[in-house]
Amino acid sequence: MSNLFVVSAPAGCGKDTILAGVLQKTDSAGYAVSATTRTPREGEINGVHYHFLTVEDFKSRISNGEVLEYTEYCGNFYGTLKSSVDALLNSGKDAILKIEVEGAMNIKKQFPEAKLIFILPPSWEILENRLRGRGTESEEKIRERIAQARTELKFAENYDYLVVNDKLETAVGDILSIFRAESLRKERRTELLGAFK
Ligand code: 5GP
């Protein structure tokens, strides 16, 4: 029996780097590739980082019941494809959903057994510096992103696990520990209970 893990973090918390580190160290879990209508960033590959869809295609997948949850984030649609999750779970792997907070709450409603992991920055100041230091964006854009992060951080209390991204290796290790502990739950080891009856 596989697990469903949802990982969320505001921009600037290093979520992608941490998850890349996690996936390098385990074969027991895979990333459920989401669909989005945003344009690919440099280096992003269709089908690997996202399924990049037109708005029309995205909407038709929603009406066909192919999307478990979706949201509009910064003007683009993002959604979890049922097929991406099923492919992982059917192969016996745990599925990792890297999604924002509204989507996470939606998944928890549909799958109460899903485990929600929130990645926090070491401090508010560090996050603000990271968001400011990203490039040559206007003050207005930076303020928008900071406000967005503040809103998302309020959801942390609804998650099952909190991981702080202070040192990358520690955060990666923490997530692997959560995966491991969840795989040892008695509900997931009924064969052992049966063997000693
Ligand atoms: P980005 O454009 O930076 O890749 O992602 C923007 C935000 O959308 C991130 O917080 C990311 O986790 C979230 N996101 C990505 N895929 C999905 C999805 O399938 N559903 C939801 N609800 N959020 C997603």
Side-chain angles (χ1 to χ4, degrees):
M1 199 172 153
S2 305
N3 287 304
L4 198 55
F5 292 105
V6 174
V7 180
S8 305
C13 288
K15 178 175 53 172
D16 293 340
T17 317
I18 294 173
L19 285 181
V22 166
L23 289 175
Q24 257 176 20
K25 293 209 164 146
T26 182
D27 297 329
S28 71
Y31 167 53
V33 182
S34 288
T36 184
T37 59
R38 84 152 159 73
T39 41
R41 295 189 189 119
E42 212 183 313
E44 283 184 331
I45 301 163
N46 190 26
V48 175
H49 298 92
Y50 281 107
H51 295 286
F52 294 100
L53 306 179
T54 61
V55 174
E56 217 178 19
D57 196 3
F58 194 96
K59 287 187 173 166
S60 86
R61 285 178 192 243
I62 294 172
S63 34
N64 293 339
E66 295 173 44
V67 180
L68 289 176
E69 63 71 38
Y70 72 95
T71 195
E72 202 178 339
Y73 184 93
C74 298
N76 297 300
F77 288 113
Y78 293 85
T80 304
L81 295 174
K82 194 170 179 304
S83 56
S84 296
V85 175
D86 286 349
L88 286 163
L89 299 183
N90 291 338
S91 71
K93 287 196 181 201
D94 294 338
I96 305 173
L97 273 54
K98 197 170 59 169
I99 63 181
E100 53 69 62
V101 292
E102 306 272 357
M105 297 302 108
N106 196 331
I107 290 289
K108 187 76 179 180
K109 260 191 221 137
Q110 295 182 59
F111 305 95
E113 73 287 2
K115 292 297 169 211
L116 272 47
I117 305 172
F118 199 94
I119 300 173
L120 291 162
S123 70
W124 178 251
E125 289 69 31
I126 291 176
L127 179 61
E128 196 168 329
N129 285 341
R130 282 185 196 162
L131 291 174
R132 284 187 174 280
R134 263 196 166 184
T136 51
E137 281 168 322
S138 66
E139 183 61 23
E140 191 197 342
K141 197 95 201 131
I142 292 168
R143 274 178 204 273
E144 238 173 63
R145 205 183 268 148
I146 290 172
Q148 173 80 27
R150 213 179 261 285
T151 306
E152 290 180 39
L153 281 162
K154 290 199 179 115
F155 280 79
E157 65 183 26
N158 301 315
Y159 282 63
D160 299 301
Y161 294 96
L162 302 179
V163 170
V164 177
N165 184 15
D166 195 354
K167 280 209 179 79
L168 176 64
E169 313 88 85
T170 311
V172 168
D174 286 349
I175 291 188
L176 289 169
S177 303
I178 296 166
F179 287 3
R180 180 86 184 126
E182 286 295 331
S183 76
L184 299 176
R185 276 184 183 275
K186 68 169 191 274
E187 295 82 1
R188 314 219 165 256
R189 314 200 88 195
T190 44
E191 78 289 356
L192 280 179
L193 292 176
F196 293 98
K197 263 192 182 140

